[in-house]
Amino acid sequence: MRTRSDIECWLTDMDGVLVHENTPVPGASELLQTWRDQGVPFLVLTNNSIFTPRDLSARLRASGLVVPEQSIWTSALATADFLRGQMPGGTAFVIGEAGLTTALHEAGFIMTETDPDYVVVGETRNYSFEAITKAIRFIRGGARFIATNPDATGPSTKGVLPATGAITALITKATGMEPYVVGKPNPMMFRSALNRIGAHSETTGMIGDRMDTDIVAGIEAGLHTVLVLTGISDPAEIERYPFRPDEILASVADLLPAEPLESEMPEGI
């Protein structure tokens, strides 16, 4: 049976695991530093497709967490990686922000409003009725329908906001077409992340705070799964699901190496 000692690489969710609305979770900074010091390959994953890895790295640094941009994997990057494999040099009509459009440009895609190969919907705080109407017409005309993530709502200081899943539901209702969703809980996002760092599922762990995305996708991707209770899940939430993570921890602080006991320290310390 695989245990934590077998794990050589880590994938970790961001919100609810490492940070809470720009406040770092206790132990997160130390865990990231330990991974860097030990040369452990890792990626911080997020379904949020609004921001580029550079943006997210800067935001995390402002919160006190050091995560290089090359160690961040977003649903936008996973979507661009998927589409590059499907149709190199394809065209797309995009509803989304810089995180998504930048990823698609870097993957060799052309943004267009004329007969696109794909309609790609991601997170944005500026959903436009005109853009949604165009998306519906393109899909009805034969464009393939892609979404970066399935989240129906997102958080804000004033309450929930409609998110990608809510907008794609509107488009689905008008077109009769369901999108192919690349982000969590699709294990496709984890597989592309593993490829990014040259990791193997047998020796990689996934840390998350959501049973319905992080844990189920980690299980389906063949990873060692760790649920932390610093996000939305509690013991009652866990019992609702027919599957269980390999480990349930209070927080990422429980993943830090144990301090040696005084009796175990070398003489002279």
Side-chain angles (χ1 to χ4, degrees):
M1 181 179 175
R2 180 174 51 183
T3 65
R4 195 192 308 169
S5 62
D6 300 316
I7 303 307
E8 300 172 357
C9 308
W10 287 98
L11 306 179
T12 176
D13 188 35
M14 187 169 70
D15 296 311
V17 176
L18 301 179
V19 291
H20 272 306
E21 293 189 6
N22 300 324
T23 300
V25 170
S29 179
E30 294 83 354
L31 181 62
L32 292 168
Q33 185 64 54
T34 297
W35 286 344
R36 289 195 300 272
D37 290 346
Q38 296 179 353
V40 174
F42 73 92
L43 281 179
V44 174
L45 274 58
T46 176
N47 258 359
N48 190 317
S49 62
I50 291 178
F51 303 104
T52 66
R54 183 174 299 175
D55 296 331
L56 289 171
S57 177
R59 293 182 70 193
L60 288 169
R61 185 177 292 275
S63 301
L65 298 178
V66 179
V67 182
E69 60 181 284
Q70 62 268 26
S71 296
I72 296 174
W73 191 246
T74 70
S75 63
L77 290 173
T79 299
D81 185 68
F82 169 73
L83 290 179
R84 175 170 46 202
Q86 290 288 303
M87 187 178 292
T91 62
F93 175 74
V94 179
I95 296 177
E97 299 287 346
L100 180 55
T101 56
T102 300
L104 287 169
H105 273 301
E106 291 179 351
F109 261 66
I110 297 168
M111 309 300 109
T112 184
E113 295 191 9
T114 304
D115 192 24
D117 298 314
Y118 295 93
V119 167
V120 185
V121 179
E123 208 72 48
T124 175
R125 295 293 179 262
N126 299 291
Y127 287 113
S128 153
F129 181 79
E130 180 183 2
I132 292 170
T133 300
K134 288 179 180 178
I136 290 168
R137 290 172 179 169
F138 288 141
I139 292 167
R140 288 173 69 98
R144 300 159 185 83
F145 187 14
I146 303 290
T148 59
N149 62 292
D151 306 70
T153 62
S156 80
T157 55
K158 296 181 180 179
V160 299
L161 298 169
T164 308
I167 302 305
T168 57
L170 184 161
I171 296 172
T172 292
K173 191 71 173 178
T175 62
M177 298 295 294
E178 295 279 352
Y180 180 73
V181 182
V182 178
K184 298 179 292 182
N186 187 345
M188 172 77 68
M189 182 169 176
F190 288 4
R191 293 193 187 104
S192 61
L194 293 174
N195 291 338
R196 172 70 175 260
I197 58 174
H200 192 281
S201 60
E202 283 298 312
T203 53
T204 301
M206 171 64 200
I207 311 165
D209 72 316
R210 295 185 65 114
M211 290 288 289
D212 59 346
T213 54
D214 305 316
I215 300 305
V216 69
I219 291 171
E220 291 178 358
L223 310 181
H224 177 84
T225 53
V226 178
L227 180 78
V228 292
L229 301 178
T230 48
I232 70 162
S233 294
D234 57 25
E237 170 79 4
I238 297 166
E239 293 303 321
R240 291 180 51 232
Y241 292 90
F243 51 85
R244 293 185 67 81
D246 293 301
E247 297 185 71
I248 301 171
L249 303 176
S251 76
V252 290
D254 292 336
L255 289 167
L256 289 168
E259 292 291 334
L261 298 175
E262 189 173 336
S263 59
E264 297 174 343
M265 290 184 179
E267 291 185 12
I269 298 296

